[in-house]
Amino acid sequence: MDNMENKKIRKGSSDKRAKIIAAARDLFLSDGFDRSSVDAVAAKAGVSKRTVYDYYGDKQNLLLAVVEESSSAVLDMIEQGISDHLREFEDLKQALILFCEQIVASANGSSDYMALIRLVMVEAANLPDSFFERLDNATEEGIIRRFTEFGQTGLLDVPDPEIATKHFAALTFLLVFNQPRKTGALEEEQTKRIITEGVHVFLCAYAPRTVQNENQPSY
């Protein structure tokens, strides 16, 4: 009987947390962090103000919980791309291109990603520096592991996989995300061009020298 009660309590707590997070995210996005009150969050979530404080302490921690929830979904998206394209492949260049294209497509269709970007851009002053450091590290971690393994197997020449990962991201999907937003086929064409050229530049820098020499034109 006690176990059944405990399961009910945990389930109830989980449901309330999810409702509070969803309500806070909606309000922070529509009204902004400063103009959103804990009272409004509680009312929208259908819980008491006391419950919000009991679960999250204050509004600042609630904002952090909201962005971390969205971050978790984005990290899952990256891990899925790694699993789909960077574990088994025949051509590394094509695998890297497909990986980046999937990241961009998934992000464009993800409400979690869009919410994360908007909240991080608008509410950066209300978020601790440690959050940004953790997010960067978590975002890069899976790619660093793969690049380390590629270095060990001779697919890449990466003395510093962490720096190589930063270069790779900056040349490909992060560069796409920083482009002015457009619509239609032109955007898709531009995205593919940016990613393809970015992967090419990355491999010019990090492919083993023998591979680079083979790709050089003969005169």
Side-chain angles (χ1 to χ4, degrees):
M1 183 69 175
D2 288 341
N3 288 339
M4 290 181 64
E5 285 298 314
N6 288 338
K7 287 180 181 177
K8 289 179 181 177
I9 291 170
R10 283 197 295 270
K11 185 176 186 302
S13 296
S14 176
D15 288 346
K16 285 182 181 179
R17 286 181 185 277
K19 288 176 181 177
I20 293 169
I21 289 292
R25 183 168 82 164
D26 288 348
L27 287 170
F28 292 160
L29 287 171
S30 61
D31 300 342
F33 176 77
D34 291 333
R35 292 188 298 277
S36 299
S37 67
V38 174
D39 285 309
V41 172
K44 188 174 181 64
V47 301
S48 70
K49 181 178 178 180
R50 179 68 185 177
T51 297
V52 177
Y53 280 117
D54 284 346
Y55 283 8
Y56 296 103
D58 57 29
K59 195 169 71 164
Q60 195 105 11
N61 281 335
L62 183 54
L63 173 63
L64 186 58
V66 168
V67 293
E68 286 182 339
E69 180 95 356
S70 295
S71 300
S72 178
V74 173
L75 296 179
D76 288 344
M77 178 181 75
I78 293 173
E79 285 299 324
Q80 186 63 52
I82 291 172
S83 178
D84 288 347
H85 300 294
L86 299 185
R87 299 212 179 274
E88 295 183 8
F89 52 84
E90 294 183 1
D91 180 82
L92 178 58
K93 181 176 182 179
Q94 186 62 22
L96 292 172
I97 290 172
L98 291 172
F99 167 72
C100 293
E101 288 179 344
Q102 180 165 317
I103 293 299
V104 171
S106 297
N108 286 340
S110 168
S111 60
D112 286 297
Y113 176 79
M114 296 305 176
L116 178 63
I117 294 302
R118 286 176 60 191
L119 286 170
V120 165
M121 288 178 62
V122 176
E123 308 298 351
N126 292 307
L127 291 166
D129 291 339
S130 59
F131 164 75
F132 295 99
E133 184 177 349
R134 290 200 312 274
L135 179 60
D136 285 344
N137 291 340
T139 303
E140 296 168 355
E141 186 178 354
I143 304 173
I144 291 172
R145 284 198 303 269
R146 294 307 294 145
F147 283 2
T148 299
E149 292 170 8
F150 292 164
Q152 292 168 346
T153 57
L155 286 172
L156 292 176
D157 181 8
V158 281
D160 189 334
E162 184 174 347
I163 293 297
T165 296
K166 292 183 184 297
H167 288 162
F168 174 73
L171 287 166
T172 56
F173 55 87
L174 290 184
L175 186 57
V176 172
F177 294 150
N178 288 330
Q179 295 298 305
R181 307 306 297 168
K182 296 179 182 179
T183 57
L186 179 61
E187 183 184 1
E188 293 181 10
E189 183 180 327
Q190 183 184 27
T191 294
K192 189 170 185 65
R193 179 177 59 80
I194 290 171
I195 289 173
T196 301
E197 292 178 359
V199 168
H200 175 73
V201 171
F202 173 78
L203 291 176
C204 282
Y206 287 104
R209 294 300 161 206
T210 54
V211 175
Q212 292 186 29
N213 291 338
E214 288 173 1
N215 291 331
Q216 292 296 321
S218 56
Y219 297 98

